[in-house]
Amino acid sequence: MYISGICSIQGRHIWRDGHPVSVPESTVADADFRTHVYDWLNPNYPKFYKMDLPAQLTFLAGEILLRDLPLAAYHPATIGLVLTSGSGSLDTDLRFAASLQTQASPALFVYTLPNIAGGELCIRHTLKGENTVLITPAFDAALLSEHVQQTLQLAGMEACIGGWIEAVNGHHDVFLYLAEKNKRGLGIPHTAHELDKFYQSHYGTVDGGSETPDH
Amino acid sequence: MSNAVHIVGTGVISAIGNTRAENFQSLQQGRSGIGRITLFDTAHRNTLPVGEVKLTNTILAYRTKLKKTSSRTTLLGLHAAREAVEQSGVRDLGSLRVGLISATTVGGMDRTENFFPAFLQDIMKGRLRDVVDHACGRSTERIADALGIRGFVTTINTACSSSVNAIQLGARLIAANQLDVVVAGGTDALTRFTLNGFNSLMILDPAPCRPFDAGRKGLNLGEGAGFVVLTSAALCAAEKLTPLATVSGFANTNDAFHQTASSPEGRGSFAAMEKALVMANLAPADINYINLHGTGTQNNDLSEGTAVKRLFDTALPPISSTKGYTGHTLGASGGIEAVYAVLALREQCVFPNLRFETPMPELGLVPQRTFERRPVKHVMSNSFGFGGNCSSIVLSNPV
Amino acid sequence: MEDLKRQIIEALNLKHLKPEDIGNDQPLFVEGLGLDSIDALELIVLLQQQYGVKLDNPQDGPTVFLSVRTMAQFITNAKKAKA
């Protein structure tokens, strides 16, 4: 099993396979980071605007990860998804709870589950295989790689996207990767050690991983 | 089968009973637990029926020996998990490789939502002890502590399919010989958060729900917990444990259609049921009872019904949703309904689908309308969650 | 109707649109702006919060929310009925 590509988003910084991704400076002062990256990527997917913080970051990481790793050759049912998170949908939970003071917002409520971000990724890239979300206190390369490995070993599975999505109150800590049986792209062995290496190489090196909350 | 995974213990608490025996009696007697909200103050008190567990936190705390300020999710979870462990006969959890895989969507929200309004007005207000157990994984950790489980502990949250996914993961770990015993299931307490949330989606029925009925108007929220104890066939033999059921097959898929609605043809649910049968090495005709997800919403029942009809065709067994009894217990539903599936196997019976009168015109499906004793060898249970997460499990009489 | 368009954009997070991008008679759902069932529910909340108008039956949604004009008409009629 191989890691074909990795995309991380920490604060307002993006890395692909360990290399910084430079997004052109925004011409709009104080631009919303996520919308800015979306505009730069230009995926023509207006549903993006309705997503919450974790779903938007997961979506952006997915676009950057998969733009040169097409999944079209696989039958959708052979691609799995394993996400991990500490806070889950807490950011949206708080906003929904606040909306209860006036009137409950259905658009916020639909995002008050940690697996909706994953669900959005499945809709975007037509992923129909096994998918799960595990709650862990911090990024856990061993747990994540173990689960992705197990998913890949199931009969018929060809690929699996693994990730850690921790996005709450302006804090962005997203790590998304593609593991496959075939070797392409980064093409390194799928191990906890490799995942940890990439994650640790930039975690905490920029802005403490946070940016000012923009909502 | 040398690496067969057996269920050796079950525990459940719901609107229709605080124990396995009480739940079964209610199922047999057609006694639903759906009624008025009593647990908290809400504008919807008289307009939205729910399936409340009929015990206060004080009593639950007394029985579980936890503090009564604990999250209700933790209290319900431990109550059911302990019942399952006691039935299992596993004596010394400390000497084996044991895991706890729990599932919840609410976590400690029942207490946090009491904290939040005061906090919103003034950040110095609100009792901090109300938020100590908020995190999704906390109820799991507290249940693990209370049961003395120090091995593999994790929490799954995939909306309404969470606890059946917990059972699937547990079964995998046993079959792969990574663990000897796994306590797996889920728990969720009723909260204003979920009540108002589902109400904003306009999918709640202002009357007791009518799954699979043409006149259905939506779901009723419920609460509760359901856990099973999983072990290998080898351990059963070694420790002389009594298998109650075998986990023959299961599957999980994503519908990849919409964040909360199912595709009209129920593609994700069809795929999950089909794959579960393949893993179980069974044909549709081998299934003797299907416990439907059957929430009572327009969307779920039509999608699920479409998928069931397409897969089972002329070999359709008795089908029913037990949510007419318990309400939709969200993260706990897969676990609770797995326990009901085991009861169906142990008691050789099928449960009725309450309040059914008219079949959906698009499908003409008629669910089981009465409690009936009949030969049951294989039971399928479905759980479909928001985010397109579709799960199906097949439990069988142990061989 | 201009106010209504601004409120719709705000409520539905249509950040990529300005009021002038939405035609008075342009279909809001399916092909038009591509709104979905959750958006319809948010529009129901909007009617309630901004105009004090209730839409109790979600089945009426498709006709009321056909376009900005039909929405505005519905609001006017409802307010007349209350007066």
Side-chain angles (χ1 to χ4, degrees):
Chain A
M1 316 294 185
Y2 302 97
I3 298 171
S4 309
I6 302 174
C7 177
S8 318
I9 302 178
Q10 294 266 330
R12 296 173 80 97
H13 297 264
I14 307 174
W15 287 265
R16 174 68 203 283
D17 298 348
H19 305 296
V21 173
S22 72
V23 179
E25 276 299 308
S26 168
T27 47
V28 180
D30 234 15
D32 173 294
F33 169 73
R34 289 166 273 147
T35 317
H36 177 49
V37 177
Y38 174 87
D39 287 338
W40 170 65
L41 289 169
N42 198 24
N44 190 26
Y45 199 75
K47 284 193 190 155
F48 173 81
Y49 295 102
K50 298 186 213 172
M51 296 181 197
D52 72 343
L53 174 66
Q56 283 188 336
L57 290 173
T58 308
F59 175 88
L60 295 173
E63 293 299 298
I64 295 167
L65 174 68
L66 298 173
R67 65 184 167 181
D68 58 0
L69 291 171
L71 299 174
Y74 298 128
H75 188 281
T78 65
I79 315 172
L81 178 67
V82 176
L83 292 181
T84 57
S85 179
S87 306
S89 57
L90 182 60
D91 191 84
T92 312
D93 296 351
L94 291 167
R95 294 167 66 203
F96 174 75
S99 81
L100 292 178
Q101 306 290 304
T102 43
Q103 194 165 347
S105 162
L108 285 176
F109 185 65
V110 299
Y111 285 94
T112 58
L113 284 163
N115 66 312
I116 306 296
E120 291 283 14
L121 207 62
C122 290
I123 294 170
R124 170 61 172 162
H125 300 284
T126 322
L127 313 173
K128 295 196 173 185
E130 267 212 15
N131 56 117
T132 194
V133 174
L134 302 170
I135 306 295
T136 68
F139 176 78
D140 186 337
L143 182 80
L144 179 54
S145 61
E146 182 61 49
H147 271 84
V148 170
Q149 190 80 354
Q150 281 190 22
T151 305
L152 276 171
Q153 280 163 352
L154 296 171
M157 298 303 283
E158 295 291 340
C160 184
I161 293 177
W164 161 255
I165 316 291
E166 182 65 11
V168 58
N169 197 28
H171 178 89
H172 303 164
D173 178 10
V174 172
F175 184 93
L176 201 70
Y177 73 97
L178 175 67
E180 299 175 285
K181 287 185 169 161
N182 296 328
K183 189 175 183 183
R184 63 170 168 157
L186 197 56
I188 55 176
H190 177 241
T191 64
H193 176 73
E194 290 288 354
L195 291 177
D196 226 3
K197 215 173 64 185
F198 279 90
Y199 180 77
Q200 300 298 346
S201 70
H202 41 256
Y203 180 74
T205 59
V206 268
D207 310 326
S210 292
E211 68 157 14
T212 332
D214 51 20
H215 51 250
Chain B
M1 212 167 52
S2 56
N3 55 356
V5 178
H6 290 320
I7 292 176
V8 290
T10 57
V12 60
I13 183 166
S14 74
I16 60 170
N18 306 321
T19 62
R20 210 170 34 243
E22 285 178 22
N23 272 263
F24 180 74
Q25 256 181 33
S26 298
L27 287 166
Q28 184 177 30
Q29 290 164 17
R31 234 190 2 240
S32 150
I34 293 175
R36 280 231 179 96
I37 299 171
T38 67
L39 284 173
F40 46 75
D41 217 356
T42 165
H44 305 295
R45 173 160 241 149
N46 295 320
T47 49
L48 293 174
V50 293
E52 288 183 345
V53 168
K54 311 297 185 271
L55 292 179
T56 61
N57 283 6
T58 306
I59 308 247
L60 284 167
Y62 175 72
R63 290 191 184 187
T64 55
K65 305 212 184 354
L66 291 173
K67 285 208 182 70
K68 69 172 187 236
T69 50
S70 302
S71 158
R72 191 172 173 82
T73 303
T74 307
L75 295 167
L76 293 170
L78 181 56
H79 196 277
R82 194 165 263 149
E83 187 185 23
V85 171
E86 275 163 10
Q87 185 184 31
S88 72
V90 175
R91 272 154 316 171
D92 186 7
L93 285 176
S95 64
L96 300 163
R97 298 170 305 169
V98 186
L100 171 69
I101 305 173
S102 183
T104 178
T105 65
V106 166
M109 186 68 75
D110 61 310
R111 299 208 63 86
T112 313
E113 67 182 14
N114 291 329
F115 168 87
F116 204 58
F119 178 75
L120 276 181
Q121 302 300 327
D122 178 348
I123 60 167
M124 297 308 290
K125 289 242 162 79
R127 285 179 322 187
L128 278 178
R129 86 178 86 105
D130 275 344
V131 297
V132 159
D133 279 351
H134 174 80
C136 209
R138 275 298 286 160
S139 61
T140 312
E141 286 168 14
R142 299 199 62 204
I143 294 170
D145 281 344
L147 293 176
I149 295 175
R150 273 167 269 281
F152 180 79
V153 175
T154 195
T155 308
I156 289 184
N157 187 339
T158 57
C160 316
S161 57
S162 297
S163 44
V164 80
N165 287 342
I167 296 172
Q168 291 190 13
L169 178 59
R172 274 219 182 108
L173 291 168
I174 304 266
N177 196 20
Q178 293 196 7
L179 290 173
D180 299 313
V181 177
V182 178
V183 180
T187 169
D188 259 338
L190 207 55
T191 60
R192 281 188 219 94
F193 188 101
T194 42
L195 190 68
N196 283 292
F198 276 89
N199 191 45
S200 79
L201 296 180
M202 299 182 90
I203 51 174
L204 293 179
D205 194 329
C209 64
R210 333 169 47 91
F212 272 59
D213 186 87
R216 66 198 183 283
K217 293 229 176 350
L219 59 95
N220 304 138
L221 281 179
E223 61 173 5
F227 281 87
V228 299
V229 178
L230 301 159
T231 69
S232 61
L235 194 83
C236 281
E239 302 277 317
K240 299 198 181 16
L241 306 172
T242 311
L244 306 170
T246 302
V247 180
S248 312
F250 49 81
N252 170 266
T253 62
N254 197 293
D255 197 30
F257 175 75
H258 185 270
Q259 313 97 311
T260 51
S262 306
S263 59
E265 322 80 32
R267 282 189 304 254
S269 26
F270 181 92
M273 289 189 280
E274 190 183 49
K275 272 178 87 165
L277 286 175
V278 166
M279 179 177 168
N281 202 21
L282 294 172
D286 296 318
I287 300 294
N288 307 116
Y289 167 53
I290 306 176
N291 184 299
L292 302 162
H293 185 57
T295 56
T297 63
Q298 291 287 327
N299 177 252
N300 175 79
D301 291 3
L302 184 56
S303 296
E304 182 178 13
T306 304
V308 165
K309 192 171 178 184
R310 185 158 70 99
L311 183 60
F312 288 85
D313 194 32
T314 51
L316 193 69
I319 63 175
S320 69
S321 162
T322 47
K323 291 185 170 71
Y325 284 93
T326 58
H328 187 3
T329 55
L330 302 181
S333 60
I336 290 175
E337 289 157 24
V339 174
Y340 290 171
V342 175
L343 286 172
L345 289 166
R346 298 294 293 167
E347 300 287 337
Q348 292 290 287
C349 66
V350 294
F351 304 119
N353 189 100
L354 298 181
R355 284 174 234 103
F356 173 83
E357 280 173 27
T358 320
M360 292 182 269
E362 304 90 331
L363 301 172
L365 287 172
V366 179
Q368 180 72 18
R369 299 162 98 143
T370 55
F371 173 86
E372 192 186 331
R373 299 267 183 196
R374 51 190 287 153
V376 177
K377 199 167 165 206
H378 304 289
V379 175
M380 171 177 274
S381 179
N382 293 338
S383 292
F384 309 132
F386 281 177
N389 199 289
C390 299
S391 288
S392 184
I393 192 163
V394 176
L395 302 180
S396 310
N397 272 334
V399 280
Chain C
M1 281 194 280
E2 289 313 300
D3 281 341
L4 190 52
K5 288 180 193 175
R6 251 189 301 277
Q7 286 161 347
I8 291 172
I9 288 173
E10 171 85 32
L12 303 187
N13 253 327
L14 301 172
K15 289 196 183 146
H16 53 305
L17 295 178
K18 297 192 209 37
E20 45 270 34
D21 296 325
I22 308 175
N24 293 347
D25 298 291
Q26 182 183 358
L28 295 174
F29 286 81
V30 197
E31 340 87 53
L33 287 186
L35 305 184
D36 71 2
S37 55
I38 307 296
D39 296 312
L41 293 168
E42 278 294 338
L43 289 179
I44 292 176
V45 170
L46 193 162
L47 286 182
Q48 171 93 10
Q49 292 224 278
Q50 301 284 353
Y51 299 99
V53 170
K54 264 193 156 197
L55 185 70
D56 285 317
N57 191 355
Q59 318 281 26
D60 292 336
T63 24
V64 173
F65 300 131
L66 193 62
S67 68
V68 177
R69 193 187 300 279
T70 57
M71 273 184 77
Q73 198 63 51
F74 178 78
I75 294 166
T76 318
N77 292 346
K79 292 193 133 173
K80 273 199 211 139
K82 275 211 280 193

